[in-house]
Amino acid sequence: SVRQEPRVPSLLSSLLSPTTMFSLPSLSATIRSLNAMAAARPVAFGATSAAFKTTTADVLVQTAVEGRSLETLDLRRTAVFTLFGGGWMGFGQYYLYCRLFERLVPGTTALASAGKAALDQLVHVPLLYFPLFYSIDALLQGAWARGVACGVEHVQHRLRTELKESLYANWSLWLPASFVGFRLVPPHWRIPYVSAVSMVWTTWWSVLQGRFRARNAGAASAEQL
C-alpha cells in the first residue's frame, strides 16, 4: 500500500477547527499528525518553522518594542532574519545537529549531550552562526555588491562591535537549552524544538540588533560632524 504523508492544508484545517481547539482527543490527534509530518519531512518542517519564527520575532520587536508601524518596518533587517532563519537555522542546523553532531558525539547520555552542547555553543555559534548572519546582512545591505573587501569589512566590523555582547546573551539561554535538546528531544523534533526556544532568543537578539543599528547610525552621524 502507498504510504500517505500528512498534508499541510488538512492539518491546518484540523488545528483551527473549534472541535480541535476544545477537544483533547482531537488535539492529541493533531499533535500526532504534526509528529508524523516532522518525521516524514524533517528538513522542510524545520526550515518552515524556523523562518516563520525569526520573521515573526523581528516584526513583533520592531512594532511592539521599537514602536514602528508596519509601513516603516526595516524590511532589510526582517529579510536578514527570514533568510537566516529558513536557510541556516532550518536547513543548515538540521544537518549540523541531527547528522554531524550525532556522528562526532553519538548517544544521548548526559556526557554526550554536554559534548554536543559544547560543540554547538563554543564552536558553531562564534565561528559559523554569527559570521553567517552578518554575511547575509552584508548581502542585503549591498556591501558584497561593492566588492569582496567591502563585504568582509562589513562582517568584521559587526563581529568586532557586537559579538561579545551577543555571545553572552546567547550563552545565557542556549547552554542549558542545547543540553536539554540533545539529551531529551528526538532528532526529527530537534529543529522545531530549537525554533521554539529560539523564539525567545530571536526576540531578544532582534532587540539587540535594533540597539546595535541605532548605535552604528549614531556613530556614523558623529563622524560626519
Side-chain angles (χ1 to χ4, degrees), residues 72-147:
T72 59
L73 286 178
D74 185 342
L75 295 179
R76 288 186 178 180
R77 171 174 144 190
T78 302
V80 173
F81 277 96
T82 302
L83 289 175
F84 184 72
W88 181 246
M89 296 180 76
F91 283 102
Q93 288 188 168
Y94 171 79
Y95 291 102
L96 186 75
Y97 291 155
C98 303
R99 301 293 179 83
L100 180 60
F101 282 9
E102 290 300 328
R103 289 182 181 179
L104 293 176
V105 190
T108 57
T109 64
L111 183 60
S113 300
K116 281 181 274 199
L119 275 176
D120 181 34
Q121 294 302 308
L122 303 180
V123 178
H124 160 235
V125 169
L127 301 181
L128 195 56
Y129 182 95
F130 283 121
L132 275 174
F133 178 86
Y134 292 128
S135 294
I136 294 174
D137 181 64
L139 175 66
L140 294 181
Q141 296 294 338
W144 293 112
R146 296 192 293 272

Side-chain angles (χ1 to χ4, degrees), residues 53-216:
K53 174 262 306 179
T54 51
T55 303
T56 301
D58 184 62
V59 171
L60 284 175
V61 168
Q62 290 198 49
T63 54
V65 178
E66 298 175 7
R68 297 173 184 261
S69 66
L70 292 177
E71 291 75 18
T72 59
L73 286 178
D74 185 342
L75 295 179
R76 288 186 178 180
R77 171 174 144 190
T78 302
V80 173
F81 277 96
T82 302
L83 289 175
F84 184 72
W88 181 246
M89 296 180 76
F91 283 102
Q93 288 188 168
Y94 171 79
Y95 291 102
L96 186 75
Y97 291 155
C98 303
R99 301 293 179 83
L100 180 60
F101 282 9
E102 290 300 328
R103 289 182 181 179
L104 293 176
V105 190
T108 57
T109 64
L111 183 60
S113 300
K116 281 181 274 199
L119 275 176
D120 181 34
Q121 294 302 308
L122 303 180
V123 178
H124 160 235
V125 169
L127 301 181
L128 195 56
Y129 182 95
F130 283 121
L132 275 174
F133 178 86
Y134 292 128
S135 294
I136 294 174
D137 181 64
L139 175 66
L140 294 181
Q141 296 294 338
W144 293 112
R146 296 192 293 272
V148 174
C150 189
V152 171
E153 173 55 31
H154 178 99
V155 174
Q156 289 178 337
H157 172 73
R158 298 294 295 276
L159 289 172
R160 281 196 307 268
T161 58
E162 302 176 16
L163 182 60
K164 184 177 179 180
E165 188 173 351
S166 297
L167 275 176
Y168 286 160
N170 184 84
W171 286 339
S172 66
L173 173 66
W174 280 111
L175 278 172
S178 292
F179 176 81
V180 170
F182 290 122
R183 183 81 169 93
L184 302 175
V185 179
H188 63 276
W189 272 105
R190 206 161 280 166
I191 294 305
Y193 164 79
V194 168
S195 293
V197 177
S198 188
M199 186 67 180
V200 178
W201 157 244
T202 307
T203 300
W204 177 237
W205 195 22
S206 179
V207 171
L208 288 177
Q209 284 298 305
R211 293 178 182 176
F212 293 150
R213 289 171 190 245
R215 186 173 66 195
N216 290 336

Side-chain angles (χ1 to χ4, degrees), residues 12-77:
L12 290 178
S13 298
S14 172
L15 181 63
L16 296 175
S17 69
T19 303
T20 297
M21 293 175 69
F22 298 103
S23 170
L24 288 178
S26 296
L27 182 58
S28 177
T30 300
I31 292 172
R32 287 197 300 271
S33 296
L34 279 170
N35 185 65
M37 182 187 298
R41 299 177 178 175
V43 179
F45 190 79
T48 301
S49 64
F52 177 79
K53 174 262 306 179
T54 51
T55 303
T56 301
D58 184 62
V59 171
L60 284 175
V61 168
Q62 290 198 49
T63 54
V65 178
E66 298 175 7
R68 297 173 184 261
S69 66
L70 292 177
E71 291 75 18
T72 59
L73 286 178
D74 185 342
L75 295 179
R76 288 186 178 180
R77 171 174 144 190

